[in-house]
Amino acid sequence: MTNLHPAKITKVLPDSIAAEIGFEVGDAIVAINGTHPRDLIDYQFLCADEFLELEVLDTTGKTHHVEIEKDYDDDLGLEFETALFDALIQCNNRCPFCFIDQQPPGKRSSLYFKDDDYRLSFLYGSYLTLTNLPEREWQRIEQMRLSPLFVSVHATEPDVRIRLLKNQRAGQIMEQLRWFQKRRLQIHAQVVVCPGINDGQHLEQTLKDLASFYTGDVPAVASVAVVPVGLTRFRPQEDELIPVTREKAQEVILQVRSLAKQFRQKCGSNVVWLADEWFLIAGEELPTEAEYEDYPQIDNGVGSIQLFIKQFASAAAKLLPNKISPPRKFTWVVGNAVEKAFQPILQSLNSVEGLEVNMMALASDYWGQTISVTGLLTGHDLLLYLKDKDLGEGILLPNVMLKHGELVFLDDVKVEDLARQLNTKILPVAGVEELITTCITEQVLA
């Protein structure tokens, strides 16, 4: 067993089976029916039984054996410190565009973890390359039907993919896709376009190869996202990467849309989608909402702007009043990539009598980028651009800028420290409803 740790409990849901039995935060599950769970997948699989015998370690280190009889699909009502109870499967590729290698040293250690773990891919939609999987993990994917997985393909030609991933095993991608197809398992693919390496005819070959797996009632490749390479000022100088120019973005848009049209006629689906960033870099209008089908690549920034605008319009119709009193003024911080696209939202908020929302659309000085998505803005950037400005009663801060579950930016700046330095309230908002209610609800500012 490799570095197995008991599954430490961080939350016991009220009125759950676990609460009834008396589980407490800090307790840890060692085994379920004699099996030590490796991860959340094992835990969920093992807990599907109607009779459970749990080996539990309490906070004093004492072991308890707990027997539970329940309905087959009843959840115990526990949440854990981490989804993995053993070691993270680390990445052994050296992709030049890897964001982790484009960060400055000295930040929190979790920012430098390179995972290539299929379990995180299955549970949370993170991308893996398939180059780091021992045979037993392939067997587990098959046995437990862990599908869909999210795979960074980048190129299907062996020599091009090996050049990008700096790993000889990277050349096996077509064989691996056939493995998924044979077992009726699915992947969602992404292609990060690096000009001069996997663009042009290589990109065409990759997308045609991937679309060839969009067949049958369970397509092995369910969707493909095409994403522009993102570069920061901390990247290694010898990485042979070239930033995506406006002209290159226009060329890729034309090429991918032409292929998507062919795929739609042949397969009944676009199969391949462009990340919103391409249109922002190219200075072109975003595709209409209808083009995104059921948003299969939303977490890759494919259609996220249009979806946000649609969700805002729907929420505004229900929640936005004609006037508020007393009057309120806020500063809404976003990446400058969405400045133009979000104008209708800004106008809608400012149409409320007594409400004034000023948008600050920022580039990231920290990363050294001229066009920045909202999620990459840091505490450094906000301090640089907002110091000594009239920020009204507070900053509306999209929580995509923050570490998951914590009030910390990507550069390790804490929200409370930034609020003190800017001498203003910072109001993290998740999604459109929170954006609206924070603007119109007095209690938030109490």
Side-chain angles (χ1 to χ4, degrees):
M1 204 63 72
T2 58
N3 301 330
L4 260 183
H5 304 287
K8 195 171 178 184
I9 295 164
T10 53
K11 190 174 182 183
V12 181
L13 299 179
D15 305 321
S16 63
I17 294 170
E20 202 177 305
I21 289 168
F23 275 94
E24 293 180 354
V25 169
D27 292 344
I29 293 178
V30 178
I32 303 169
N33 291 346
T35 300
H36 299 264
R38 287 179 56 187
D39 45 44
L40 208 50
I41 299 167
D42 270 355
Y43 167 78
Q44 289 167 347
F45 180 76
L46 293 165
C47 283
D49 249 338
E50 292 175 339
F51 300 97
L52 304 180
E53 186 180 319
L54 306 182
E55 184 183 331
V56 181
L57 204 61
D58 70 18
T59 50
T60 67
K62 188 179 173 189
T63 298
H64 303 260
H65 291 273
V66 181
E67 291 186 353
I68 298 172
E69 190 174 335
K70 64 178 188 60
D71 287 342
Y72 174 77
D73 54 356
D74 274 354
D75 183 61
L76 295 185
L78 295 173
E79 291 180 10
F80 299 96
E81 188 173 41
T82 170
L84 308 181
F85 315 143
D86 61 359
L88 184 77
I89 297 176
Q90 298 263 7
C91 183
N92 60 12
N93 302 308
R94 298 189 306 283
C95 308
F97 49 85
C98 178
F99 189 74
I100 288 165
D101 293 336
Q102 296 193 60
Q103 300 182 102
K107 301 299 177 187
R108 61 179 181 271
S109 60
S110 61
L111 288 174
Y112 305 105
F113 281 138
K114 283 192 191 182
D115 84 79
D116 204 26
D117 203 307
Y118 68 95
R119 299 168 299 171
L120 297 179
S121 185
F122 174 70
L123 290 166
Y124 304 122
S126 58
Y127 277 84
L128 79 158
T129 63
L130 301 175
T131 60
N132 297 283
L133 290 184
E135 181 55 35
R136 69 175 185 276
E137 306 296 3
W138 284 100
Q139 288 168 5
R140 188 178 184 222
I141 291 168
E142 179 176 7
Q143 285 161 359
M144 298 190 81
R145 309 292 300 164
L146 301 182
S147 171
L149 297 182
F150 294 76
V151 178
S152 289
V153 174
H154 307 320
T156 50
E157 296 164 278
D159 57 333
V160 181
R161 194 167 191 255
I162 289 167
R163 181 183 171 191
L164 278 168
L165 271 59
K166 307 283 191 285
N167 184 333
Q168 285 302 314
R169 287 200 295 279
Q172 299 167 357
I173 187 66
M174 289 296 284
E175 192 183 315
Q176 290 165 338
L177 293 175
R178 285 190 277 273
W179 184 93
F180 281 92
Q181 186 174 47
K182 189 176 174 186
R183 288 156 181 81
R184 291 172 62 81
L185 298 171
Q186 290 189 297
I187 72 151
H188 291 281
Q190 78 166 351
V191 176
V192 174
V193 175
C194 302
I197 302 177
N198 64 340
D199 56 345
Q201 67 191 55
H202 301 300
L203 179 59
E204 179 165 345
Q205 183 66 51
T206 295
L207 297 182
K208 283 182 172 174
D209 282 344
L210 290 172
S212 73
F213 288 93
Y214 192 91
T215 57
D217 55 337
V218 184
V221 174
S223 71
V224 184
V226 180
V227 182
V229 66
L231 305 179
T232 83
R233 65 187 173 93
F234 302 108
R235 67 194 176 94
Q237 287 311 297
E238 66 287 353
D239 63 11
E240 66 179 355
L241 296 179
I242 303 166
V244 173
T245 61
R246 183 174 183 151
E247 293 70 33
K248 174 55 71 175
Q250 290 167 341
E251 174 196 311
V252 170
I253 289 169
L254 209 60
Q255 180 184 18
V256 173
R257 279 187 146 172
S258 165
L259 286 166
K261 188 178 176 185
Q262 292 174 35
F263 301 152
R264 193 163 57 248
Q265 287 165 350
K266 188 178 172 187
C267 313
S269 167
N270 280 14
V271 186
V272 53
W273 282 271
L274 290 148
D276 294 353
E277 273 183 85
W278 289 107
F279 300 94
L280 304 172
I281 296 169
E284 293 187 10
E285 289 294 316
L286 288 161
T288 61
E289 190 206 326
E291 283 188 53
Y292 292 112
E293 293 176 25
D294 60 351
Y295 293 98
Q297 288 273 3
I298 190 73
D299 291 336
N300 229 332
V302 177
S304 53
I305 294 175
Q306 288 288 32
L307 186 60
F308 190 86
I309 293 167
K310 177 191 177 184
Q311 288 170 339
F312 178 87
S314 169
K318 289 184 296 187
L319 300 173
L320 214 54
N322 292 323
K323 63 181 290 184
I324 59 169
S325 182
R328 256 164 260 148
K329 178 180 174 182
F330 297 99
T331 299
W332 182 27
V333 178
V334 295
N336 64 347
V338 296
E339 181 174 16
K340 186 180 168 197
F342 280 4
Q343 288 305 314
I345 294 176
L346 192 64
Q347 287 162 10
S348 182
L349 291 170
N350 284 318
S351 70
V352 176
E353 192 182 327
L355 178 62
E356 182 185 341
V357 178
N358 295 316
M359 179 192 283
M360 289 292 287
L362 310 179
S364 178
D365 175 78
Y366 180 83
W367 299 113
Q369 295 177 329
T370 51
I371 296 179
S372 298
V373 295
T374 304
L376 286 182
L377 293 178
T378 64
H380 164 96
D381 296 320
L382 269 67
L383 187 61
L384 177 71
Y385 293 115
L386 303 183
K387 195 145 181 63
D388 302 325
K389 294 269 194 303
D390 175 10
L391 302 172
E393 291 167 63
I395 293 171
L396 302 167
L397 187 85
N399 72 346
V400 292
M401 295 182 205
L402 304 176
K403 183 185 176 189
H404 182 67
E406 292 185 39
L407 297 176
V408 181
F409 290 92
L410 270 179
D411 60 351
D412 273 354
V413 172
K414 292 187 173 73
V415 166
E416 59 182 306
D417 293 342
L418 183 66
R420 194 169 54 248
Q421 288 175 285
L422 291 175
N423 193 28
T424 191
K425 288 188 172 73
I426 294 182
L427 308 165
V429 291
V432 293
E433 293 202 1
E434 218 167 273
L435 174 66
I436 293 169
T437 54
T438 305
C439 285
I440 62 174
T441 308
E442 206 169 354
Q443 291 88 310
V444 175
L445 298 173

